[in-house]
Amino acid sequence: GIQSRLCYFLVLFSLLVALLNKHKPWIETTYHGIVTENDDKVLLDPPLIALDKDAPLRYAGEICGFRIHGQNVPFAAVVLDKSTGEGVIRAKDKLDCELQKEHTFTIQAYDCGEGPDGGNMKKSHKATVHIQVNDMNEYSPVFKEKSYKATVIEGKKYDSVLKVEAVDADCSFQFSQICSYEIVTPDVPFTIDKDGNIKNTEKLNYSKERMYKLTVTAYDCGKNRASEDVLVKINIKPTCKPSWQGFNKRIEYEPGTGSLALFPSMHLETCEEPITSIQVSIMLETNHIGKGCDRDTYSEKSLHKLCGASAGTVELLPAPSNSANWTVGLPTDNGHDSDQVFEFNGTQAIKVPEGVVSTTLKEPFTISVWMRHGPGGREKETILCNSDKTEMNRHHYSLYVHNCRLVLLLRQEPTESENYKPAEFHWKLDQVCDKEWHHYVLNIEFPTVTLFVDGATFEPFLVTEDYPLHASKIETQLTIGACWQVTRPVALMTQYFRGNLTGLMIRSGKLENKKVIDCLYTCKEGLDVQLPEEVASAVKVEFNPNQSSLTLEGDDIESFEKVMQHISYLNSRQFPTPGIRHLRVTTTVKCFNEETCISVPDSEGYVMVLQPEEPKISLSGIDHFARGAAEFESTEGVTLFPELRIVSTITREARMIQQTVVSEEIMHNLDTCEVTVVGDELNGDHESLEVDLAQIQQRALEMSSSNVGMVITGVNTMANYEQVLHLIRYRNWHTEALFDRKFKLVCSELNGRYISNEFKVEVNVIHTANPMDHANNAMVQPQQPLLGFYHPKYQMLICVHPLFTVVPSAATVVIVVCVSFLVFMIILGVFRIRAAHQGTLRDQENGKENEMDWDDSALTITVNPMETYEDQHSSEEEGDEEEEESEDGEEEDDITSAESDSSEDEGGEQEDQQGSSRQQQLEWDDSTY
């Protein structure tokens, strides 16, 4: 029936399908492909297409896939269109030509079978696929050696000095070949060809250049440059010429590292000539540094103290300051590492004020000066002159230069005898006119005068005599750089000096000893040598006084070279003067055969003293506080710098991860600290700055003061300066109209070479006030006066009720009630201010700011004077809070909450009013209550 017929049709359908898929897919037998490394698309020739004769029947005539045969084949075949049989081959991963240039495998196509399930699927034959991986120029040339060296003889041209060679890791011929080499270093007498051969283009000269350093690079044929250039060193070997070899022309000296060997690998080339003796002179040129070499740049007065000179020395050419201002306006020779060098050009001179030096010098006495002077004219040039101030033109004593002579004029004061006495002492010196710095010291013990020039003694070649001066009551005038001359109808200066002066000192009552003179002249830098024991007796070594030159003598070359290798440069200054110090080595040799004896040329180089790491001197402490008026008026006064700290740091480069600089604290000396009044000068009638002179003298310091401040001088430690500055007090015994006083402190080192920050201190005066003078104090009983002070920040008077000046045990309840009332009033005031401020903000238009003023007409703030008032300034805006402990050690109550809260609302107004943010500290002092 129906079932039999259905089975019959199914059998017929199966037979029909079997008859439909009767052909296999067909593909080409061989394919050739190209793929670029780092790409996945393969270009095939011919294209990958599978054909099936069963087409266009569905399934049987369609291509369902391609199958690749082979091990670890990095490709996959994908059908793009089943009906057309089109497909592509793609790389599974990025290919690397350097690992494998070609790939070969087989591929097979298969159709979709009889139906969707792929039954009776038929496969094509296997076709061979050859794929070539194209190279990309991803590698750069690399040199086979890290560096190259060669040695050539001077005066000869070479076809090839040496050959450099680079390789390239790319797989293709084009990109793996080195097409050219290039010398990167400009202006060198060498060239290089495409094969890497370097040759010189001209004859080389050993005296001109002993070694050439060339930087060479390479390019592949894809124009990729070498990843790293290579260094080529070509040493020039001289034709044998006697000379010192192994001498570096530039020698760098790091400050603070002690001695530095100048010739560690130096040796003498004698060209096999037998030598009988050697003499070498080594000169270190330092004339261009400061006063002839690197010396401490403290003031001359401080240097005299450091060298052990006793008291009594007067400095006539001090650095300009408030206490010594007669050198202001005198030209200085800048650029000498803060040496206070004054320049006189023949038109300038200065008068020394009365009282600096006594009118009549007490014998014996000493005059010392640093002078640099060139060849002068025929006229006298005055260094120092003491002459009549009016009427007569008598010169009492003077020091001057005349025709390269140094002359001291010393007229005796009136005596009973009128005999001739020595009056002029003459020294003829080359140093006076050689344009170099020299140190002159004259020890005068009449009738003997001894001159020291750079520590060496000179006797006068000529002494002339004259009568003593006649008695007179005319005052004298001491001048520097010229002589005061009185001619009718005017007085003028004559005999002007041309040159440089510094360190002009007069010491009355005592002569300067040789030890101090040598200390003043001795350089802080020079040559040094530590002889090995085995050669100490073989070579004779002699130094000049300031160790800027030395002479060696010997006959054994080997021992001589060892001594040369132990010669060093030493600079003992903590902060030496940076710059160049030229070196010259002069050599003289003697041979057995005088006719053929060699000549050794001079060797020249220089020591480069590097810039020292400069210290940063920081002053810190309490910069704003208040004290009661009674303290200012007391005999002790108010201490200005009670918690002053002086710290000096240097910043060094640090080789650390994520950190390039590091600061560290160092210790060194100061030589000046100056306290200056900011604003009006001190009124000597009712105010002063005072300090315990005994404490200053105990620390070997000196103090000078004026109406503009106080200056403390002397070379001493930062700790001693701290202790002295802690003692400075300000007194004012007329404080009725005084609300604050401001002062500024600055410290320095090495005569102003390093200067600290300006540390400013403001002190406020706490006054007493009567409530009858203020309508705002209606709550206070008239018969009970208020104590208080004016607060400049909030422009209000802070008052204290006298009830709280007494604190018996019975008053505890009253205190609690009053404090509670105070807190309530502060909170009430804060809410009123905020409410008013918010209402004002709602009425503002176009962003305009309105001013807000305190309304204290109905508010009286009463404060317990036993507690500390602490003003927290604008730090609320930064989120910082500072807490201070009161002097009696108890915790302070925070009574500034109202001000702190309101400061946020009034921040803009306060900044406009104050101009800049600064921290203020107000402290109650209840010692007088």
Side-chain angles (χ1 to χ4, degrees), residues 227-484:
S227 56
E228 289 186 8
D229 299 339
V230 71
L231 177 64
V232 178
K233 296 181 180 180
I234 301 177
N235 291 300
I236 313 303
K237 186 176 181 181
T239 55
C240 190
K241 292 181 180 179
S243 63
W244 286 104
Q245 298 183 8
F247 173 44
N248 293 326
K249 289 187 176 182
R250 176 187 172 95
I251 305 164
E252 292 188 353
Y253 180 77
E254 184 74 30
T257 56
S259 60
L260 172 67
L262 296 176
F263 319 110
S265 58
M266 199 171 185
H267 67 279
L268 181 62
E269 176 60 63
T270 62
C271 295
E272 300 181 357
E273 182 71 27
I275 304 299
T276 60
S277 67
I278 310 173
Q279 184 180 37
V280 173
S281 176
I282 302 172
M283 174 65 71
L284 179 71
E285 297 179 3
T286 59
N287 292 337
H288 62 292
I289 305 296
K291 297 188 291 289
C293 68
D294 215 358
R295 294 182 170 89
D296 281 330
T297 55
Y298 297 114
S299 66
E300 285 296 323
K301 195 169 184 179
S302 297
L303 288 174
H304 274 70
K305 283 189 176 181
L306 290 175
C307 288
S310 57
T313 303
V314 179
E315 187 173 9
L316 300 182
L317 281 175
S321 66
N322 294 325
S323 58
N325 58 2
W326 61 88
T327 57
V328 174
L330 190 62
T332 58
D333 183 13
N334 295 323
H336 287 281
D337 189 30
S338 296
D339 266 339
Q340 196 65 52
V341 175
F342 295 96
E343 184 175 359
F344 295 82
N345 62 7
T347 62
Q348 298 122 335
I350 58 174
K351 297 180 182 179
V352 179
E354 294 182 8
V356 175
V357 180
S358 60
T359 304
T360 303
L361 292 176
K362 181 181 178 182
E363 293 186 12
F365 65 95
T366 297
I367 298 175
S368 60
V369 66
W370 282 93
M371 180 175 70
R372 179 170 60 183
H373 183 264
R378 296 182 179 180
E379 296 183 359
K380 296 179 180 180
E381 297 180 44
T382 301
I383 299 170
L384 177 70
C385 180
N386 187 34
S387 60
D388 288 337
K389 183 180 285 188
T390 59
E391 299 180 13
M392 304 178 71
N393 285 323
R394 299 178 305 173
H395 295 179
H396 294 250
Y397 63 87
S398 68
L399 182 65
Y400 61 91
V401 173
H402 188 209
N403 290 334
C404 293
R405 298 178 182 182
L406 184 68
V407 182
L408 173 67
L409 170 66
L410 182 61
R411 299 290 301 277
Q412 292 297 301
E413 295 300 322
T415 59
E416 295 181 359
S417 62
E418 295 293 330
N419 299 328
Y420 264 34
K421 295 184 178 180
E424 280 192 348
F425 302 81
H426 297 248
W427 293 268
K428 189 172 183 180
L429 303 167
D430 295 334
Q431 292 90 330
V432 171
C433 296
D434 64 1
K435 296 183 179 180
E436 302 292 344
W437 279 106
H438 297 285
H439 185 232
Y440 302 85
V441 178
L442 292 103
N443 276 344
I444 298 109
E445 190 171 18
F446 193 81
T448 302
V449 178
T450 304
L451 171 66
F452 296 88
V453 181
D454 298 337
T457 306
F458 291 84
E459 295 296 331
F461 78 93
L462 176 65
V463 177
T464 60
E465 296 182 340
D466 202 347
Y467 285 108
L469 294 171
H470 296 292
S472 172
K473 296 182 180 180
I474 299 174
E475 295 181 352
T476 60
Q477 175 65 61
L478 183 61
T479 55
I480 300 172
C483 205
W484 180 253

Side-chain angles (χ1 to χ4, degrees), residues 696-767:
I696 290 182
Q697 294 171 357
Q698 182 180 346
R699 292 169 176 81
L701 297 173
E702 293 186 0
M703 185 274 293
S704 61
S705 61
S706 65
N707 57 351
V708 297
M710 176 184 294
V711 180
I712 299 174
T713 57
V715 181
N716 219 312
T717 64
M718 292 185 289
N720 279 339
Y721 265 95
E722 266 188 16
Q723 294 172 6
V724 169
L725 292 171
H726 288 167
L727 303 175
I728 296 179
R729 307 181 307 275
Y730 170 65
R731 289 187 60 206
N732 192 313
W733 47 94
H734 183 67
T735 60
E736 287 81 359
L738 180 68
F739 289 106
D740 58 53
R741 252 307 193 183
K742 298 177 182 178
F743 301 89
K744 177 179 68 177
L745 172 65
V746 176
C747 295
S748 64
E749 155 79 323
L750 293 174
N751 206 19
R753 180 177 175 185
Y754 303 119
I755 302 176
S756 72
N757 60 304
E758 291 187 354
F759 179 63
K760 296 182 179 179
V761 172
E762 179 179 342
V763 294
N764 294 101
V765 182
I766 303 174
H767 290 286

Side-chain angles (χ1 to χ4, degrees), residues 88 114 173 190 295 373 396 437 500 598 620 750 773 800 832 897 904 917:
V88 293
E114 300 172 349
F173 178 82
F190 297 93
R295 294 182 170 89
H373 183 264
H396 294 250
W437 279 106
N500 297 100
I598 63 175
S620 61
L750 293 174
D773 298 335
V800 181
R832 290 182 59 190
S897 58
E904 296 178 359
S917 174

Side-chain angles (χ1 to χ4, degrees), residues 282-289 292-293 525 527 547-549 569 579-585 604-607:
I282 302 172
M283 174 65 71
L284 179 71
E285 297 179 3
T286 59
N287 292 337
H288 62 292
I289 305 296
C293 68
E525 65 177 339
L527 299 174
Q547 292 191 302
S548 62
S549 68
Y569 169 81
I580 290 176
R581 278 75 163 160
H582 288 281
L583 273 174
R584 180 186 294 273
V585 180
E604 295 184 4
Y606 61 93
V607 177

Side-chain angles (χ1 to χ4, degrees), residues 468-530:
L469 294 171
H470 296 292
S472 172
K473 296 182 180 180
I474 299 174
E475 295 181 352
T476 60
Q477 175 65 61
L478 183 61
T479 55
I480 300 172
C483 205
W484 180 253
Q485 196 88 350
V486 181
T487 58
R488 298 180 184 276
V490 295
L492 48 80
M493 294 283 190
T494 61
Q495 302 175 9
Y496 282 99
F497 180 78
R498 293 176 178 84
N500 297 100
L501 297 176
T502 187
L504 181 56
M505 313 286 290
I506 288 183
R507 184 183 182 191
S508 181
K510 191 173 183 181
L511 297 179
E512 204 72 272
N513 61 54
K514 185 67 165 59
K515 182 179 179 181
V516 174
I517 294 172
D518 290 341
C519 174
L520 292 171
Y521 172 70
T522 301
C523 295
K524 293 292 184 178
E525 65 177 339
L527 299 174
D528 189 23
V529 60
Q530 299 295 330

Side-chain angles (χ1 to χ4, degrees), residues 4-256:
S4 298
R5 292 177 182 176
L6 184 59
C7 291
Y8 175 74
F9 283 116
L10 288 174
V11 172
L12 290 177
F13 179 76
S14 300
L15 292 173
L16 179 61
V17 171
L19 292 175
L20 292 175
N21 191 18
K22 60 182 180 179
H23 297 96
K24 295 180 179 180
W26 177 88
I27 57 177
E28 298 286 347
T29 58
T30 303
Y31 292 91
H32 293 276
I34 298 175
V35 62
T36 303
E37 62 178 348
N38 299 328
D39 195 5
D40 63 346
K41 187 176 182 181
V42 179
L43 298 178
L44 284 178
D45 182 24
L48 182 59
I49 298 176
L51 303 177
D52 197 317
K53 291 183 178 181
D54 293 323
L57 292 178
R58 192 176 182 188
Y59 302 118
E62 295 177 337
I63 303 302
C64 271
F66 296 94
R67 181 171 298 167
I68 292 176
H69 301 276
Q71 293 184 349
N72 301 323
V73 178
F75 295 95
V78 180
V79 176
L80 297 179
D81 192 333
K82 292 182 178 181
S83 60
T84 62
E86 183 181 358
V88 293
I89 296 178
R90 295 192 179 99
K92 295 179 181 179
D93 297 308
K94 291 183 179 180
L95 302 175
D96 193 341
C97 175
E98 287 71 35
L99 295 178
Q100 189 172 348
K101 294 182 180 181
E102 294 183 352
H103 297 268
T104 301
F105 53 89
T106 59
I107 191 170
Q108 210 174 13
Y110 56 92
D111 61 20
C112 295
E114 300 172 349
D117 57 354
N120 197 22
M121 175 186 65
K122 294 186 180 296
K123 301 178 181 180
S124 70
H125 63 274
K126 292 182 179 180
T128 302
V129 180
H130 300 280
I131 297 179
Q132 178 182 343
V133 180
N134 279 358
D135 187 23
M136 293 182 64
N137 195 10
E138 57 185 334
Y139 292 96
S140 298
V142 177
F143 285 94
K144 288 185 175 182
E145 303 291 339
K146 292 184 177 179
S147 63
Y148 293 86
K149 294 181 180 180
T151 301
V152 297
I153 299 176
E154 66 173 346
K156 183 180 177 181
K157 291 191 71 173
Y158 291 81
D159 293 333
S160 178
V161 174
L162 78 159
K163 182 180 181 179
V164 298
E165 187 176 358
V167 294
D168 195 301
D170 286 308
C171 66
S172 65
F173 178 82
Q174 176 187 5
F175 297 144
S176 65
Q177 294 299 306
I178 306 300
C179 276
S180 64
Y181 293 88
E182 180 184 341
I183 297 177
V184 179
T185 307
D187 302 327
V188 290
F190 297 93
T191 184
I192 189 169
D193 61 21
K194 64 178 181 178
D195 297 322
N197 294 304
I198 297 177
K199 63 180 181 180
N200 55 321
T201 58
E202 61 184 45
K203 293 181 180 180
L204 304 176
N205 191 333
Y206 176 79
S207 61
K208 180 180 178 181
E209 195 69 48
R210 300 183 181 184
M211 184 180 69
Y212 288 92
K213 293 182 180 181
L214 313 178
T215 302
V216 177
T217 192
Y219 294 90
D220 62 22
C221 294
K223 298 184 179 181
N224 264 9
R225 181 172 174 168
S227 56
E228 289 186 8
D229 299 339
V230 71
L231 177 64
V232 178
K233 296 181 180 180
I234 301 177
N235 291 300
I236 313 303
K237 186 176 181 181
T239 55
C240 190
K241 292 181 180 179
S243 63
W244 286 104
Q245 298 183 8
F247 173 44
N248 293 326
K249 289 187 176 182
R250 176 187 172 95
I251 305 164
E252 292 188 353
Y253 180 77
E254 184 74 30

